[in-house]
Amino acid sequence: GENVEQHPSTLSVQEGDSAVIKCTYSDSASNYFPWYKQELGKRPQLIIDIRSNVGEKKDQRIAVTLNKTAKHFSLHITETQPEDSAVYFCAASRVDSGYALNFGKGTSLLVTP
Amino acid sequence: DGGITQSPKYLFRKEGQNVTLSCEQNLNHDAMYWYRQDPGQGLRLIYYSQIVNDFQKGDIAEGYSVSREKKESFPLTVTSAQKNPTAFYLCASSIWGTGDQPQHFGDGTRLSIL
């Protein structure tokens, strides 16, 4: 399957600062890139997604950018709050597997007050 | 999401035993997926199904089996051939089409070996 690499694996920021998580993918046919937030022991929750015909999307404090040429996409969280602390996963759609998702290994974000 | 129900929440497997994890959705989604999550490894695809009575192996299908007899249901059986079954299992569904539809997850089943 396609390889999705995610960095950093851990990220610690102070409340109010911004957090950026970056992902790269290998399959140029991928056309859908969601981001999920997962709290301990719970299911992943979709927080934002972007399709390949769009370069940037924003939803309140969260934004995602996509560079198809470079095959990378990023999650930006501004004005971070302690409740943003969780593990964040990026993913890319797979044409070869019924549009299943290839996930990055996750970024553990800690926002300290 | 409230539309995808996984059961049980916790499951224990004895040596040599097969166990079945349930996944039911009422979202009228054609596509359903099973993922396995291990610590530090993200989610990996076990099986997927695009329509009733059809399913395909994912990246780590060995030791697992599925069925799709109804659109709403996609149960996963962890067989005794799966030597390291301890993990968090997540079922997801989505609208089938152009590959750009969100996947919605159930609450997961945590499987452990007794």
Side-chain angles (χ1 to χ4, degrees):
Chain A
E2 163 178 351
N3 190 35
V4 174
E5 295 192 1
Q6 182 172 346
H7 299 280
S9 56
T10 61
L11 180 59
S12 183
V13 300
Q14 287 209 315
E15 183 177 0
D17 288 349
S18 295
V20 179
I21 303 170
K22 298 183 179 183
C23 289
T24 60
Y25 63 98
S26 57
D27 186 356
S28 56
S30 292
N31 64 348
Y32 176 65
F33 307 90
W35 286 88
Y36 287 87
K37 175 183 180 182
Q38 187 178 34
E39 297 177 351
L40 192 62
K42 302 210 172 164
R43 62 182 168 89
Q45 297 238 16
L46 179 69
I47 57 171
I48 195 167
D49 57 13
I50 191 167
R51 291 165 176 81
S52 58
N53 58 347
V54 176
E56 185 173 355
K57 183 177 178 181
K58 188 173 181 181
D59 182 3
Q60 298 183 334
R61 297 186 296 110
I62 295 174
V64 57
T65 58
L66 171 65
N67 183 327
K68 282 214 72 179
T69 303
K71 295 183 188 171
H72 66 71
F73 55 114
S74 301
L75 177 72
H76 305 252
I77 306 175
T78 58
E79 301 170 25
T80 54
Q81 301 165 2
E83 50 265 40
D84 293 330
S85 298
V87 178
Y88 291 81
F89 292 95
C90 64
S93 62
R94 302 171 56 168
V95 177
D96 68 334
S97 298
Y99 300 122
L101 296 172
N102 249 331
F103 284 84
K105 291 191 176 183
T107 296
S108 180
L109 173 65
L110 177 64
V111 181
T112 54
Chain B
D1 288 350
I4 302 178
T5 303
Q6 287 188 243
S7 62
K9 189 171 183 178
Y10 299 97
L11 188 58
F12 298 92
R13 196 192 85 171
K14 294 180 181 178
E15 196 76 32
Q17 184 183 42
N18 293 352
V19 292
T20 297
L21 285 60
S22 171
C23 177
E24 304 274 334
Q25 54 98 0
N26 61 5
L27 300 168
N28 200 33
H29 286 167
D30 291 302
M32 296 187 74
Y33 309 87
W34 274 106
Y35 294 92
R36 168 178 171 146
Q37 186 173 30
D38 295 282
Q41 291 201 42
L43 283 72
R44 292 183 290 167
L45 181 66
I46 306 173
Y47 266 97
Y48 64 96
S49 169
Q50 301 165 21
I51 57 172
V52 174
N53 292 323
D54 185 62
F55 48 83
Q56 304 296 330
K57 292 181 179 180
D59 302 317
I60 55 166
E62 185 174 351
Y64 300 97
S65 65
V66 294
S67 63
R68 186 87 187 274
E69 297 176 2
K70 299 186 299 181
K71 187 175 184 178
E72 303 80 20
S73 179
F74 191 40
L76 173 74
T77 295
V78 184
T79 74
S80 56
Q82 172 49 247
K83 298 306 179 188
N84 183 23
T86 298
F88 190 41
Y89 290 87
L90 288 156
C91 177
S93 71
S94 71
I95 296 170
W96 171 247
T98 53
D100 61 353
Q101 298 299 319
Q103 284 190 21
H104 303 270
F105 285 87
D107 286 332
T109 292
R110 195 166 296 278
L111 176 62
S112 303
I113 298 180
L114 277 178

